[in-house]
Amino acid sequence: MARCIRVPKKGAEPLREALMEQGLLDLDHRIRRDGDFILIPVLADSFGGYEAEEADLEVQEHGETDYRNLSGVPEGLRDLLPSSFDVVGDIAIMKLPDELLPYKAGIGEALLKTEHGVRAVFLDGGVKGEFRIRDLEKIAGEGTSETVHRECGTRMMTDPSKVYFNPRLATERARVASLVRDGEVIIDMFAGVAPFGTVIARHAHPAKIYSIDLNPECERFMRENIRMNGITCMEAIIGDSTQVIKGLPKADRIIMNLPQMADRFLDSALRAAKPSGTIHMHRVMERSALEDFERDLVSRMASEGLGMRIVRVQELKTYSPTMSVYVFDIMPEAADSSE
Ligand SMILES: C[S@@+](CC[C@H](N)C(=O)[O-])C[C@H]1O[C@@H](n2cnc3c(N)ncnc32)[C@H](O)[C@@H]1O
């Protein structure tokens, strides 16, 4: 038995954080869900207006911090266990090779034991289709894959099984937000649940952000993220950005985070940008093809009467042994300032 407070699910996370900050969270026991309530183990008689009660909570093991040592996978296969995985909010998402699939339940349970704050573990079957949705199978823990992710002082509701979300873009989102000047009009052409817009709205002072996505499931998440973060300058739009963009004001900044094929839409973006505007285009490609890609891009746009120059290229992350994701910061040709 352990001492805990019984709080409604909705207000549980801020309370858990407050307890943690004040050193009153009992780290020796695990948080448990009970219907619409969450039982949070505490080191106090009451907290936040909730009286503590006794409940049967699992003991939190602290000894082992590497899930691989608790996974129950035979010695001969241990080297196949991944050393990294994504944590989105309170869920973990991991890829496993076929040889480890018979052990997936034990691997998931091991991760729950070593990763503090992880409620459920999902097996990643890869992203599919134009909406880039993840095929997820729960292998341990409780609840669905809907979760609230924290990034750069913001909270973002997402569900990687319904909408695309990549926690590994946090640094890039912070970089783009740091470039935004007061009063900018910004268009995010492939917004997902609008993490770029959310981080920008929180850390800069744009006049307007238009976050567009084709996936109808994104609308609910975008609206919730606008609400949760108290954003007033962002509009969530569902539709094909190449069409939607034609009806929007010219933009100071356009974000094109569609790494498999963003360049196919660059003409639309160049037409929608102010002459002094900047486009951030993300693209995955063979590292050896980078120079050819840049040359080809400029000549393809020129053939459509669209001048442009690439003012900065940065490798964001490795995608495969030979491929990487790059960001190209692009300005219309007439522009003369650079960032
Ligand atoms: C890589 S995800 C973007 C994720 C998001 N920027 C983030 O940081 O999490 C690409 C998104 O583009 C959307 N998409 C694909 N084609 C589109 C189009 N023609 N117009 C608008 N959105 C589109 C997909 O539904 C998907 O959510």
Side-chain angles (χ1 to χ4, degrees):
M1 297 294 271
R3 208 162 23 147
C4 64
I5 53 172
R6 175 184 294 271
V7 300
K9 209 172 117 195
K10 225 173 177 174
E13 182 54 20
L15 272 172
R16 187 194 68 78
E17 281 176 17
L19 281 161
M20 189 76 172
E21 271 168 24
Q22 295 179 35
L24 294 175
L25 187 67
D26 172 3
L27 297 173
D28 292 330
H29 291 90
R30 293 183 66 87
I31 291 173
R32 175 159 76 79
R33 186 175 291 183
D34 185 12
D36 287 339
F37 292 89
I38 303 288
L39 305 182
I40 309 178
V42 290
L43 300 170
D45 293 332
S46 66
F47 189 82
Y50 296 94
E51 287 300 316
E53 60 181 81
E54 292 288 316
D56 194 10
L57 298 185
E58 251 180 75
V59 171
Q60 174 77 49
E61 290 168 36
H62 295 298
E64 185 55 68
T65 54
D66 187 342
Y67 84 96
R68 290 174 289 194
N69 296 330
L70 302 175
S71 62
V73 168
E75 202 56 45
L77 294 174
R78 288 277 291 278
D79 285 350
L80 295 175
L81 282 164
S83 57
S84 71
F85 45 84
D86 282 335
V87 175
V88 179
D90 61 358
I91 66 169
I93 301 174
M94 72 187 322
K95 286 199 169 90
L96 290 177
D98 288 349
E99 298 90 320
L100 292 180
L101 292 182
Y103 308 98
K104 63 187 178 188
I107 294 170
E109 287 299 334
L111 213 68
L112 282 182
K113 288 198 179 97
T114 55
E115 293 306 305
H116 195 67
V118 168
R119 153 180 67 79
V121 182
F122 291 84
L123 186 62
D124 185 354
V127 289
K128 296 198 178 87
E130 65 180 343
F131 296 158
R132 314 296 297 150
I133 294 166
R134 228 162 258 287
D135 184 12
L136 296 182
E137 177 197 344
K138 187 162 72 179
I139 55 175
E142 293 182 3
T144 68
S145 47
E146 186 168 304
T147 187
V148 175
H149 186 70
R150 283 167 188 278
E151 181 181 304
C152 216
T154 69
R155 299 170 72 213
M156 299 171 200
M157 191 167 89
T158 188
D159 182 342
S161 73
K162 294 187 177 142
V163 290
Y164 183 90
F165 185 80
N166 187 349
R168 298 185 190 197
L169 282 175
T171 307
E172 172 62 0
R173 291 194 268 261
R175 178 187 80 93
V176 171
S178 75
L179 299 173
V180 173
R181 291 172 293 247
D182 289 0
E184 282 194 5
V185 172
I186 299 171
I187 300 176
D188 185 352
M189 289 179 70
F190 310 104
V193 301
F196 272 98
T198 301
V199 172
I200 290 170
R202 178 74 190 227
H203 294 280
H205 300 96
K208 188 81 187 175
I209 306 171
Y210 298 97
S211 292
I212 311 167
D213 204 285
L214 197 55
N215 179 355
E217 293 272 9
C218 289
E219 186 168 13
R220 175 168 72 91
F221 294 101
M222 284 203 254
R223 291 194 189 290
E224 184 58 16
N225 293 337
I226 288 171
R227 190 196 65 75
M228 275 197 305
N229 294 284
I231 297 170
T232 52
C233 63
M234 184 153 72
E235 195 175 321
I237 304 173
I238 296 301
D240 178 349
S241 58
T242 59
Q243 298 308 311
V244 173
I245 209 168
K246 291 178 188 163
L248 298 180
K250 295 274 186 230
D252 298 286
R253 196 171 298 280
I254 300 183
I255 301 157
M256 304 184 72
N257 179 229
L258 187 65
Q260 304 298 331
M261 55 170 117
D263 54 302
R264 287 194 209 163
F265 302 94
L266 183 59
D267 56 339
S268 295
L270 283 167
R271 288 190 181 96
K274 288 181 186 171
S276 59
T278 303
I279 297 168
H280 306 289
M281 186 184 83
H282 303 98
R283 186 70 166 89
V284 62
M285 72 185 70
E286 292 287 339
R287 285 188 280 280
S288 59
L290 183 59
E291 276 182 30
D292 285 349
F293 175 82
E294 289 180 32
R295 209 174 311 114
D296 177 58
L297 192 65
V298 174
S299 78
R300 259 196 290 152
M301 292 304 119
S303 71
E304 297 200 37
L306 295 165
M308 61 162 272
R309 63 193 167 99
I310 299 171
V311 293
R312 184 173 176 275
V313 182
Q314 185 192 344
E315 184 179 1
L316 291 182
K317 57 178 179 145
T318 300
Y319 184 79
S320 75
T322 58
M323 297 171 92
S324 285
V325 179
Y326 295 89
V327 58
F328 299 86
D329 290 353
I330 294 167
M331 296 181 89
E333 180 68 82
D336 56 11
S337 65
S338 61
E339 287 173 295

